[in-house]
Amino acid sequence: MNTLRQFVKKAIPAVIPRKLYLVHGAADHFESDTQTNCCNPDSRPLINIALTFDDGPHPEYTTLLLDVLQKYQQQATFFVIGEKARQYPHLIERIVQEGHELGNHTLTHSEPAQTSTRRFLEEIQETDRILEEITGGKANLVRPPKGKLNFGKLLGLWRQQRSVVLWDIDPRDYLMNTPSEIINWCQNYQPLSGNFCLMHDNHSHAIEAVRQLSECQNFHIQSHPVSHWIEKKPQYATRTQQACV
Ligand SMILES: [Zn+2]
């Protein structure tokens, strides 16, 4: 069953417009990908990815994460839970003010298998209302809890012209217990331009991950909001691959 899910996850992007369904960005979507060193003050290869953070905002961790993103000039996408956004509106405001992007991660993060299509779509719309009230704008990107959708939910989102955003890189930071685990993961990560990396800002490890990836000696990772990969056409060139060791 898991194999079938993986197949569907990979097959859909091949036939559906990128605007509606993304698992990763197109490799070498940014001009700088093909001009490896020109935009860097140092000689490290530049790799454009999307750092994405789910399940926040969290009063402590999201604040620290925003600090570290600002320090390293990384721009990210936050898939927020509506109820938490209502609880911490100042963090939603800060996310937007600092150039990051907001995505909708449902109102309560209810278990997909126990949530009807109708209830799921209601949760998306209620989260819309909360985010609009805080920011004055709508978050068009949607990431379903656990990345799980049935056909009805997917169709419901597409009828609303939403972009469904999944991921192709998952360090499983929510299962880690110590900082050394995320440090090890970062050191072994072989980034490809266009990677969408899933992390969580209701846990502490994403903060160290941003620091580690930004300070890596072997490559220069630049994170962009997910929507930066939606509109432009890919330029088709070879992806860069290298481990941070
Ligand atoms: Zn989640």
Side-chain angles (χ1 to χ4, degrees), residues 1-11:
M1 195 58 175
N2 207 24
T3 311
L4 180 65
R5 274 194 67 221
Q6 290 302 318
F7 173 75
V8 171
K9 188 176 167 183
K10 284 180 182 164

Side-chain angles (χ1 to χ4, degrees), residues 54-55 79 81 105 109 143-147 198 200:
D54 289 11
D55 297 357
F79 289 92
I81 296 172
H105 199 42
H109 206 278
R143 177 172 282 164
K146 300 183 178 177
L198 165 68
H200 298 81

Side-chain angles (χ1 to χ4, degrees), residues 64-131:
L64 293 171
L65 182 59
L66 285 166
D67 290 346
V68 80
L69 288 167
Q70 191 173 47
K71 177 180 176 186
Y72 293 107
Q73 299 185 328
Q74 304 284 8
Q75 289 189 307
T77 304
F78 289 79
F79 289 92
V80 299
I81 296 172
E83 281 186 339
K84 293 187 181 177
R86 184 155 50 199
Q87 211 177 343
Y88 306 109
H90 65 286
L91 289 173
I92 298 297
E93 284 171 356
R94 189 176 163 197
I95 286 169
V96 173
Q97 280 165 5
E98 296 184 1
H100 308 293
E101 184 163 37
L102 282 174
N104 188 323
H105 199 42
T106 74
L107 182 67
T108 65
H109 206 278
S110 56
E111 175 59 36
Q114 291 160 13
T115 307
S116 68
T117 296
R118 185 178 158 186
R119 180 61 198 147
F120 171 77
L121 294 172
E122 282 171 358
E123 287 212 18
I124 294 291
Q125 283 171 344
E126 181 57 25
T127 302
D128 270 348
R129 280 190 280 276
I130 293 165
L131 295 181

